[in-house]
mmCIF file of all heavy atoms in Angstrom:
data_model
loop_
_atom_site.group_PDB
_atom_site.id
_atom_site.type_symbol
_atom_site.label_atom_id
_atom_site.label_comp_id
_atom_site.label_asym_id
_atom_site.label_seq_id
_atom_site.Cartn_x
_atom_site.Cartn_y
_atom_site.Cartn_z
ATOM 1 N N ARG A 12 1.278 -3.135 6.376
ATOM 2 C CA ARG A 12 2.324 -4.118 6.094
ATOM 3 C C ARG A 12 3.117 -4.335 7.367
ATOM 4 O O ARG A 12 3.658 -3.396 7.944
ATOM 5 C CB ARG A 12 3.251 -3.630 4.959
ATOM 6 C CG ARG A 12 4.337 -4.636 4.602
ATOM 7 C CD ARG A 12 5.096 -4.191 3.359
ATOM 8 N NE ARG A 12 5.830 -2.956 3.544
ATOM 9 C CZ ARG A 12 7.036 -2.894 4.108
ATOM 10 N NH1 ARG A 12 7.620 -3.996 4.586
ATOM 11 N NH2 ARG A 12 7.653 -1.725 4.213
ATOM 12 N N ALA A 13 3.161 -5.567 7.832
ATOM 13 C CA ALA A 13 3.865 -5.865 9.067
ATOM 14 C C ALA A 13 5.365 -5.663 8.868
ATOM 15 O O ALA A 13 5.896 -5.916 7.777
ATOM 16 C CB ALA A 13 3.575 -7.300 9.504
ATOM 17 N N PRO A 14 6.076 -5.202 9.901
ATOM 18 C CA PRO A 14 7.534 -5.034 9.782
ATOM 19 C C PRO A 14 8.209 -6.323 9.332
ATOM 20 O O PRO A 14 7.964 -7.394 9.888
ATOM 21 C CB PRO A 14 7.955 -4.648 11.210
ATOM 22 C CG PRO A 14 6.740 -4.015 11.805
ATOM 23 C CD PRO A 14 5.578 -4.759 11.228
ATOM 24 N N GLY A 15 9.026 -6.207 8.290
ATOM 25 C CA GLY A 15 9.757 -7.364 7.782
ATOM 26 C C GLY A 15 8.990 -8.228 6.817
ATOM 27 O O GLY A 15 9.554 -9.171 6.251
ATOM 28 N N GLU A 16 7.728 -7.942 6.600
ATOM 29 C CA GLU A 16 6.898 -8.730 5.682
ATOM 30 C C GLU A 16 6.691 -7.968 4.384
ATOM 31 O O GLU A 16 6.654 -6.743 4.357
ATOM 32 C CB GLU A 16 5.540 -9.047 6.320
ATOM 33 C CG GLU A 16 5.626 -9.888 7.591
ATOM 34 C CD GLU A 16 6.128 -11.287 7.305
ATOM 35 O OE1 GLU A 16 5.831 -11.810 6.201
ATOM 36 O OE2 GLU A 16 6.818 -11.875 8.163
ATOM 37 N N GLY A 17 6.531 -8.731 3.285
ATOM 38 C CA GLY A 17 6.398 -8.110 1.974
ATOM 39 C C GLY A 17 4.986 -7.920 1.495
ATOM 40 O O GLY A 17 4.762 -7.316 0.444
ATOM 41 N N THR A 18 4.000 -8.422 2.228
ATOM 42 C CA THR A 18 2.605 -8.333 1.786
ATOM 43 C C THR A 18 1.953 -7.060 2.305
ATOM 44 O O THR A 18 1.986 -6.775 3.509
ATOM 45 C CB THR A 18 1.803 -9.544 2.280
ATOM 46 O OG1 THR A 18 2.390 -10.741 1.768
ATOM 47 C CG2 THR A 18 0.355 -9.464 1.813
ATOM 48 N N LEU A 19 1.344 -6.311 1.395
ATOM 49 C CA LEU A 19 0.566 -5.133 1.767
ATOM 50 C C LEU A 19 -0.903 -5.526 1.825
ATOM 51 O O LEU A 19 -1.464 -6.004 0.833
ATOM 52 C CB LEU A 19 0.756 -4.011 0.747
ATOM 53 C CG LEU A 19 -0.084 -2.750 0.994
ATOM 54 C CD1 LEU A 19 0.360 -2.042 2.275
ATOM 55 C CD2 LEU A 19 -0.002 -1.796 -0.202
ATOM 56 N N TYR A 20 -1.522 -5.359 2.983
ATOM 57 C CA TYR A 20 -2.941 -5.627 3.150
ATOM 58 C C TYR A 20 -3.706 -4.323 2.981
ATOM 59 O O TYR A 20 -3.403 -3.327 3.644
ATOM 60 C CB TYR A 20 -3.220 -6.233 4.523
ATOM 61 C CG TYR A 20 -2.589 -7.592 4.730
ATOM 62 C CD1 TYR A 20 -1.305 -7.704 5.266
ATOM 63 C CD2 TYR A 20 -3.251 -8.746 4.351
ATOM 64 C CE1 TYR A 20 -0.713 -8.946 5.435
ATOM 65 C CE2 TYR A 20 -2.664 -10.005 4.522
ATOM 66 C CZ TYR A 20 -1.395 -10.088 5.064
ATOM 67 O OH TYR A 20 -0.799 -11.321 5.222
ATOM 68 N N ALA A 21 -4.684 -4.329 2.086
ATOM 69 C CA ALA A 21 -5.503 -3.148 1.824
ATOM 70 C C ALA A 21 -6.956 -3.512 2.082
ATOM 71 O O ALA A 21 -7.479 -4.465 1.488
ATOM 72 C CB ALA A 21 -5.314 -2.680 0.379
ATOM 73 N N PHE A 22 -7.629 -2.772 2.973
ATOM 74 C CA PHE A 22 -9.015 -3.118 3.298
ATOM 75 C C PHE A 22 -9.789 -1.849 3.610
ATOM 76 O O PHE A 22 -9.221 -0.801 3.906
ATOM 77 C CB PHE A 22 -9.074 -4.109 4.470
ATOM 78 C CG PHE A 22 -8.319 -3.694 5.693
ATOM 79 C CD1 PHE A 22 -8.954 -3.030 6.739
ATOM 80 C CD2 PHE A 22 -6.963 -3.971 5.817
ATOM 81 C CE1 PHE A 22 -8.253 -2.652 7.875
ATOM 82 C CE2 PHE A 22 -6.248 -3.596 6.950
ATOM 83 C CZ PHE A 22 -6.899 -2.934 7.981
ATOM 84 N N GLY A 23 -11.131 -1.964 3.529
ATOM 85 C CA GLY A 23 -12.007 -0.824 3.750
ATOM 86 C C GLY A 23 -12.875 -0.575 2.531
ATOM 87 O O GLY A 23 -13.247 -1.511 1.803
ATOM 88 N N ASN A 24 -13.190 0.692 2.283
ATOM 89 C CA ASN A 24 -14.042 1.020 1.141
ATOM 90 C C ASN A 24 -13.675 2.376 0.570
ATOM 91 O O ASN A 24 -13.065 3.218 1.240
ATOM 92 C CB ASN A 24 -15.523 1.014 1.529
ATOM 93 C CG ASN A 24 -15.857 2.037 2.608
ATOM 94 O OD1 ASN A 24 -15.889 1.710 3.787
ATOM 95 N ND2 ASN A 24 -16.113 3.285 2.214
ATOM 96 N N ILE A 25 -14.046 2.593 -0.699
ATOM 97 C CA ILE A 25 -13.855 3.869 -1.381
ATOM 98 C C ILE A 25 -15.113 4.177 -2.163
ATOM 99 O O ILE A 25 -15.760 3.273 -2.731
ATOM 100 C CB ILE A 25 -12.617 3.834 -2.309
ATOM 101 C CG1 ILE A 25 -12.380 5.210 -2.952
ATOM 102 C CG2 ILE A 25 -12.749 2.749 -3.363
ATOM 103 C CD1 ILE A 25 -11.056 5.306 -3.702
ATOM 104 N N ALA A 26 -15.524 5.449 -2.188
ATOM 105 C CA ALA A 26 -16.780 5.844 -2.816
ATOM 106 C C ALA A 26 -16.741 5.628 -4.322
ATOM 107 O O ALA A 26 -15.745 5.956 -4.984
ATOM 108 C CB ALA A 26 -17.090 7.304 -2.505
ATOM 109 N N ALA A 27 -17.820 5.068 -4.856
ATOM 110 C CA ALA A 27 -17.946 4.906 -6.304
ATOM 111 C C ALA A 27 -17.926 6.273 -6.977
ATOM 112 O O ALA A 27 -18.437 7.265 -6.449
ATOM 113 C CB ALA A 27 -19.239 4.174 -6.646
ATOM 114 N N LYS A 28 -17.294 6.329 -8.151
ATOM 115 C CA LYS A 28 -17.217 7.531 -8.985
ATOM 116 C C LYS A 28 -16.427 8.670 -8.323
ATOM 117 O O LYS A 28 -16.418 9.791 -8.840
ATOM 118 C CB LYS A 28 -18.619 8.025 -9.369
ATOM 119 C CG LYS A 28 -19.434 7.000 -10.150
ATOM 120 C CD LYS A 28 -20.812 7.539 -10.517
ATOM 121 C CE LYS A 28 -21.617 6.496 -11.287
ATOM 122 N NZ LYS A 28 -22.961 6.992 -11.637
ATOM 123 N N GLY A 29 -15.782 8.380 -7.215
ATOM 124 C CA GLY A 29 -14.984 9.392 -6.546
ATOM 125 C C GLY A 29 -13.559 9.413 -7.081
ATOM 126 O O GLY A 29 -13.143 8.530 -7.847
ATOM 127 N N PRO A 30 -12.780 10.405 -6.698
ATOM 128 C CA PRO A 30 -11.392 10.489 -7.176
ATOM 129 C C PRO A 30 -10.513 9.419 -6.536
ATOM 130 O O PRO A 30 -10.785 8.935 -5.426
ATOM 131 C CB PRO A 30 -10.955 11.890 -6.736
ATOM 132 C CG PRO A 30 -11.814 12.183 -5.538
ATOM 133 C CD PRO A 30 -13.133 11.517 -5.801
ATOM 134 N N ALA A 31 -9.468 9.069 -7.234
ATOM 135 C CA ALA A 31 -8.495 8.122 -6.687
ATOM 136 C C ALA A 31 -7.768 8.754 -5.504
ATOM 137 O O ALA A 31 -7.584 9.968 -5.432
ATOM 138 C CB ALA A 31 -7.501 7.719 -7.769
ATOM 139 N N GLN A 32 -7.340 7.915 -4.568
ATOM 140 C CA GLN A 32 -6.609 8.351 -3.390
ATOM 141 C C GLN A 32 -5.179 7.817 -3.464
ATOM 142 O O GLN A 32 -4.962 6.664 -3.855
ATOM 143 C CB GLN A 32 -7.287 7.845 -2.116
ATOM 144 C CG GLN A 32 -8.754 8.246 -1.995
ATOM 145 C CD GLN A 32 -8.939 9.754 -1.898
ATOM 146 O OE1 GLN A 32 -8.328 10.406 -1.040
ATOM 147 N NE2 GLN A 32 -9.765 10.314 -2.771
ATOM 148 N N ARG A 33 -4.205 8.647 -3.081
ATOM 149 C CA ARG A 33 -2.801 8.263 -3.193
ATOM 150 C C ARG A 33 -2.110 8.312 -1.834
ATOM 151 O O ARG A 33 -2.373 9.200 -1.025
ATOM 152 C CB ARG A 33 -2.073 9.168 -4.189
ATOM 153 C CG ARG A 33 -2.522 8.937 -5.622
ATOM 154 C CD ARG A 33 -1.864 9.895 -6.604
ATOM 155 N NE ARG A 33 -2.197 9.543 -7.974
ATOM 156 C CZ ARG A 33 -3.328 9.874 -8.576
ATOM 157 N NH1 ARG A 33 -4.219 10.599 -7.919
ATOM 158 N NH2 ARG A 33 -3.562 9.498 -9.821
ATOM 159 N N PHE A 34 -1.233 7.341 -1.627
ATOM 160 C CA PHE A 34 -0.515 7.206 -0.366
ATOM 161 C C PHE A 34 0.944 6.872 -0.662
ATOM 162 O O PHE A 34 1.245 6.206 -1.652
ATOM 163 C CB PHE A 34 -1.131 6.093 0.489
ATOM 164 C CG PHE A 34 -2.616 6.216 0.690
ATOM 165 C CD1 PHE A 34 -3.509 5.695 -0.243
ATOM 166 C CD2 PHE A 34 -3.119 6.877 1.796
ATOM 167 C CE1 PHE A 34 -4.881 5.804 -0.063
ATOM 168 C CE2 PHE A 34 -4.494 6.997 1.984
ATOM 169 C CZ PHE A 34 -5.377 6.460 1.051
ATOM 170 N N LYS A 35 1.832 7.319 0.222
ATOM 171 C CA LYS A 35 3.251 6.972 0.108
ATOM 172 C C LYS A 35 3.630 6.047 1.260
ATOM 173 O O LYS A 35 3.344 6.346 2.423
ATOM 174 C CB LYS A 35 4.134 8.222 0.115
ATOM 175 C CG LYS A 35 4.124 8.972 -1.197
ATOM 176 C CD LYS A 35 5.160 10.076 -1.205
ATOM 177 C CE LYS A 35 5.225 10.750 -2.567
ATOM 178 N NZ LYS A 35 6.260 11.809 -2.616
ATOM 179 N N LEU A 36 4.265 4.935 0.910
ATOM 180 C CA LEU A 36 4.698 3.957 1.896
ATOM 181 C C LEU A 36 6.166 3.612 1.672
ATOM 182 O O LEU A 36 6.755 3.974 0.657
ATOM 183 C CB LEU A 36 3.848 2.683 1.798
ATOM 184 C CG LEU A 36 2.337 2.822 1.996
ATOM 185 C CD1 LEU A 36 1.663 1.470 1.802
ATOM 186 C CD2 LEU A 36 2.014 3.375 3.383
ATOM 187 N N ALA A 37 6.724 2.875 2.614
ATOM 188 C CA ALA A 37 8.098 2.413 2.485
ATOM 189 C C ALA A 37 8.158 1.213 1.549
ATOM 190 O O ALA A 37 7.319 0.312 1.612
ATOM 191 C CB ALA A 37 8.653 2.028 3.857
ATOM 192 N N ALA A 38 9.161 1.201 0.669
ATOM 193 C CA ALA A 38 9.409 0.034 -0.175
ATOM 194 C C ALA A 38 9.919 -1.112 0.685
ATOM 195 O O ALA A 38 10.528 -0.894 1.739
ATOM 196 C CB ALA A 38 10.401 0.373 -1.276
ATOM 197 N N PHE A 39 9.664 -2.347 0.234
ATOM 198 C CA PHE A 39 10.036 -3.507 1.031
ATOM 199 C C PHE A 39 11.521 -3.816 0.955
ATOM 200 O O PHE A 39 12.184 -4.000 1.977
ATOM 201 C CB PHE A 39 9.226 -4.725 0.569
ATOM 202 C CG PHE A 39 9.656 -6.017 1.207
ATOM 203 C CD1 PHE A 39 9.523 -6.199 2.565
ATOM 204 C CD2 PHE A 39 10.194 -7.037 0.442
ATOM 205 C CE1 PHE A 39 9.928 -7.387 3.168
ATOM 206 C CE2 PHE A 39 10.605 -8.219 1.033
ATOM 207 C CZ PHE A 39 10.464 -8.397 2.397
ATOM 208 N N ASP A 40 12.087 -3.859 -0.252
ATOM 209 C CA ASP A 40 13.493 -4.232 -0.444
ATOM 210 C C ASP A 40 14.086 -3.316 -1.510
ATOM 211 O O ASP A 40 14.086 -3.637 -2.704
ATOM 212 C CB ASP A 40 13.601 -5.697 -0.873
ATOM 213 C CG ASP A 40 15.030 -6.206 -0.897
ATOM 214 O OD1 ASP A 40 15.952 -5.385 -0.999
ATOM 215 O OD2 ASP A 40 15.224 -7.436 -0.836
ATOM 216 N N PRO A 41 14.601 -2.155 -1.111
ATOM 217 C CA PRO A 41 15.115 -1.186 -2.092
ATOM 218 C C PRO A 41 16.211 -1.761 -2.976
ATOM 219 O O PRO A 41 16.265 -1.470 -4.176
ATOM 220 C CB PRO A 41 15.635 -0.047 -1.229
ATOM 221 C CG PRO A 41 14.874 -0.157 0.044
ATOM 222 C CD PRO A 41 14.659 -1.617 0.266
ATOM 223 N N ALA A 42 17.120 -2.563 -2.418
ATOM 224 C CA ALA A 42 18.219 -3.112 -3.218
ATOM 225 C C ALA A 42 17.682 -4.006 -4.323
ATOM 226 O O ALA A 42 18.119 -3.916 -5.485
ATOM 227 C CB ALA A 42 19.181 -3.880 -2.316
ATOM 228 N N LEU A 43 16.740 -4.874 -3.997
ATOM 229 C CA LEU A 43 16.153 -5.754 -5.010
ATOM 230 C C LEU A 43 15.438 -4.936 -6.078
ATOM 231 O O LEU A 43 15.526 -5.245 -7.276
ATOM 232 C CB LEU A 43 15.187 -6.731 -4.351
ATOM 233 C CG LEU A 43 14.586 -7.807 -5.258
ATOM 234 C CD1 LEU A 43 15.681 -8.718 -5.810
ATOM 235 C CD2 LEU A 43 13.543 -8.623 -4.497
ATOM 236 N N LEU A 44 14.746 -3.890 -5.654
ATOM 237 C CA LEU A 44 14.065 -3.017 -6.604
ATOM 238 C C LEU A 44 15.064 -2.367 -7.554
ATOM 239 O O LEU A 44 14.835 -2.309 -8.774
ATOM 240 C CB LEU A 44 13.279 -1.946 -5.843
ATOM 241 C CG LEU A 44 12.541 -0.902 -6.676
ATOM 242 C CD1 LEU A 44 11.513 -1.554 -7.579
ATOM 243 C CD2 LEU A 44 11.881 0.130 -5.754
#
């Protein structure tokens, strides 16, 4: 996610039948949330 932008771009691949992967990122607008 580019600084100041609200769109999260997700790309690449994940193995079929594999476990889910989790990531922590910064929220875009905490006050609005």
Side-chain angles (χ1 to χ4, degrees):
R12 182 172 64 82
E16 298 293 327
T18 301
L19 177 67
Y20 296 90
F22 53 95
N24 61 265
I25 183 171
K28 300 180 180 179
Q32 304 296 306
R33 291 176 173 81
F34 308 86
K35 284 188 175 182
L36 301 177
F39 173 64
D40 188 338
L43 185 63
L44 178 60

